[in-house]
Amino acid sequence: MEVFKIIGQTLLYSKISFNSNFLEANVINILLLLIGLIYVLKKFLGSVLDERQSKVLFAIRESEERLEQANARLNEAEKQLAQTQIIVNQIISEAETTAKKVRESILEQGKSDIEKLTKSSKASVKSAENQVRLQIQQQITALAIKKVSTELKSQMNSVMQTKIIDQSIMQLEGKINL
C-alpha cells in the first residue's frame, strides 16, 4: 500500500492525479479478469509451449545427430586424404626413381653410341689410309715401271737383250736341274 501512496504523491506533484479507490478504478475487475485469463489460457498455452518445446528438443537432437554424422564423414575424408597423400608421395618417389634410371640409361646408351661411333670412325679413317697407301704404292710402282721401261728402252740394245735372255735361260736351267 505504501507503494501506491508514493506513486500517488509523485503523480500528485506532477499534476496527474491517481485515484486510490480500487473500486472506482476497476483495478479489482482487471485483476480478476487477468487471473481468469491466466487460469483458462494456462492449459492451452501450456500444451502449445510443451509441443513447441518437444519440437525444439527434437530439432536439437536431430541437429546433434547430423553434426555427429558430419564429423564422422569429415574424419573419414581426412583419413582418405592422408592415404591419398601417402599414395601421391609414393607415386612421386617412384616417378623420380624411374626418371633417374631412364636418365642414367640414356646417358649410358649415349656413351656406348659415342664409343661405337668413335671406333667406327677410327676404322673408317684407317681403311681410308690403307686405300690411300695402296693407291700411292700402285702409282709409285706404275711410275717406277714406266721410268724403268723408258730407261731400258733408251739403254737397251741388241747386245744387252741377248745378255738378259741368256741369264734368264741359265736361271731357268738351274731351277729345272734341281
Side-chain angles (χ1 to χ4, degrees):
M1 265 306 183
E2 290 180 26
V3 173
F4 289 118
K5 286 182 184 178
I6 294 172
I7 293 174
Q9 287 175 358
T10 307
L11 292 175
L12 188 64
Y13 291 125
S14 63
K15 295 185 182 179
I16 297 176
S17 64
F18 179 72
N19 189 356
S20 61
N21 187 356
F22 285 109
L23 295 177
E24 285 182 14
N26 282 329
V27 173
I28 294 176
N29 291 337
I30 292 173
L31 284 175
L32 287 175
L33 182 64
L34 281 175
I35 290 172
L37 280 173
I38 290 173
Y39 179 75
V40 170
L41 294 176
K42 182 179 182 182
K43 290 183 181 178
F44 174 72
L45 289 177
S47 66
V48 169
L49 288 175
D50 286 341
E51 187 177 321
R52 179 70 181 149
Q53 182 181 10
S54 67
K55 286 181 182 179
V56 168
L57 289 175
F58 178 75
I60 289 172
R61 276 190 233 111
E62 195 174 70
S63 297
E64 287 175 349
E65 288 174 4
R66 280 188 268 149
L67 176 64
E68 287 175 6
Q69 290 173 354
N71 284 336
R73 286 193 304 258
L74 175 64
N75 289 338
E76 183 65 28
E78 287 175 347
K79 287 178 186 176
Q80 289 177 352
L81 176 64
Q83 290 173 348
T84 303
Q85 190 64 36
I86 290 170
I87 291 171
V88 166
N89 289 339
Q90 288 175 346
I91 290 171
I92 289 171
S93 174
E94 289 173 4
E96 288 173 350
T97 303
T98 303
K100 186 177 180 181
K101 287 179 182 177
V102 166
R103 182 172 33 98
E104 289 174 358
S105 172
I106 290 171
L107 289 175
E108 288 297 320
Q109 184 66 33
K111 287 179 183 178
S112 173
D113 290 345
I114 289 171
E115 288 177 9
K116 286 178 184 177
L117 286 174
T118 304
K119 287 179 182 178
S120 174
S121 63
K122 285 180 181 179
S124 295
V125 168
K126 201 167 207 171
S127 173
E129 285 177 357
N130 288 337
Q131 285 180 354
V132 168
R133 280 188 192 136
L134 184 62
Q135 287 177 354
I136 291 172
Q137 284 176 355
Q138 288 174 350
Q139 286 179 354
I140 290 173
T141 306
L143 287 174
I145 290 174
K146 192 175 183 182
K147 186 177 181 182
V148 168
S149 72
T150 54
E151 283 184 19
L152 276 177
K153 282 183 185 177
S154 66
Q155 292 178 1
M156 181 73 76
N157 55 26
S158 61
V159 174
M160 272 189 101
Q161 280 181 352
T162 311
K163 196 176 183 182
I164 291 174
I165 291 172
D166 288 341
Q167 280 181 351
S168 294
I169 291 173
M170 288 183 76
Q171 284 178 353
L172 285 174
E173 281 180 0
K175 287 184 181 179
I176 293 176
N177 289 336
L178 294 175

